[in-house]
Amino acid sequence: MTGLTKTLTALTAAACLSSTSAFYMPGVKPQTFSRGDEVAMKVNALTSIHTQIPKPYYRLPFCQPAEGPKMASENLGEFLTGNKIQNSPYTINMATDVYCQKLCQQTLDSVDTIMLKKHILYGYHHNWIIDNMPSASIGSTENGQRQKHYAGGFPIGFLDRNSSGKIKDAYIFNHVNIILDFHEP
């Protein structure tokens, strides 16, 4: 064996015997909440199955946080993959029921109305995040059965069609029920 081969063999053996260290990945570490603790709800870019173009959440006239939208991305990877995670105006407290709370009230001008209709037509979805978990929706199948959807958020609105399938109008979902399931040890 030559000197170089012996050195490479020794370095390879040393690398194989080295110890392993761990690191923290944002969003992976479990969080513990006590009753009444605030649980942050964040919003991500709006997405559609009909187009590959995500849209910034607050590009549409949705209620905004009192202090204004702020980026809430946990890491560079989220940003590089097209995630535009921001804070939201919703206040959620652990194990605290809240009913019929008005978030905001807006009067839309014709430009906002046209923009919302266009995004409903293209099937854009809200992508909310609570405790680093994506939102899901409970919808109905074509035969009227309730069905849980765990991917792709939930639609910003729906299209009303006549009996021949022609679009009559577009409606925005302006009321939400946020139901959080959690584990109690």
Side-chain angles (χ1 to χ4, degrees), residues 3-19:
L4 179 60
T5 306
K6 287 180 184 178
T7 304
L8 286 175
T9 304
L11 286 174
T12 304
C16 291
L17 297 174
S18 66
S19 64

Side-chain angles (χ1 to χ4, degrees), residues 66-88:
E67 67 280 2
K70 292 183 177 62
M71 291 301 290
S73 292
E74 301 264 341
N75 58 47
L76 179 62
E78 289 177 352
F79 183 77
L80 292 175
T81 57
N83 290 319
K84 304 270 190 294
I85 300 171
Q86 296 177 295
N87 61 334
S88 79

Side-chain angles (χ1 to χ4, degrees), residues 17-82:
L17 297 174
S18 66
S19 64
T20 305
S21 62
F23 62 93
Y24 168 71
M25 275 181 54
V28 175
K29 181 181 177 221
Q31 242 182 317
T32 303
F33 296 99
S34 297
R35 184 173 298 277
D37 285 353
E38 184 172 344
V39 181
M41 187 181 114
K42 301 172 186 174
V43 297
N44 200 348
L46 301 166
T47 55
S48 168
I49 60 170
H50 302 294
T51 176
Q52 297 300 312
I53 304 170
K55 300 290 176 107
Y57 188 82
Y58 292 114
R59 177 180 182 185
L60 293 179
F62 296 129
C63 298
Q64 297 188 10
E67 67 280 2
K70 292 183 177 62
M71 291 301 290
S73 292
E74 301 264 341
N75 58 47
L76 179 62
E78 289 177 352
F79 183 77
L80 292 175
T81 57

Side-chain angles (χ1 to χ4, degrees), residues 130-150:
I130 301 173
D131 191 27
N132 292 318
M133 297 293 292
S135 60
S137 62
I138 299 174
S140 299
T141 61
E142 288 182 21
N143 60 4
Q145 294 179 331
R146 289 174 64 101
Q147 179 180 14
K148 291 186 181 182
H149 305 278
Y150 289 105

Side-chain angles (χ1 to χ4, degrees), residues 105-154:
Q105 187 167 341
Q106 297 182 9
T107 303
L108 303 178
D109 60 23
S110 61
V111 173
D112 288 337
T113 303
I114 291 168
M115 193 164 43
L116 275 170
K117 282 184 179 181
K118 181 176 124 184
H119 284 80
I120 292 170
L121 179 66
Y122 284 122
Y124 274 90
H125 282 65
H126 292 282
N127 293 294
W128 292 354
I129 301 167
I130 301 173
D131 191 27
N132 292 318
M133 297 293 292
S135 60
S137 62
I138 299 174
S140 299
T141 61
E142 288 182 21
N143 60 4
Q145 294 179 331
R146 289 174 64 101
Q147 179 180 14
K148 291 186 181 182
H149 305 278
Y150 289 105
F154 59 96

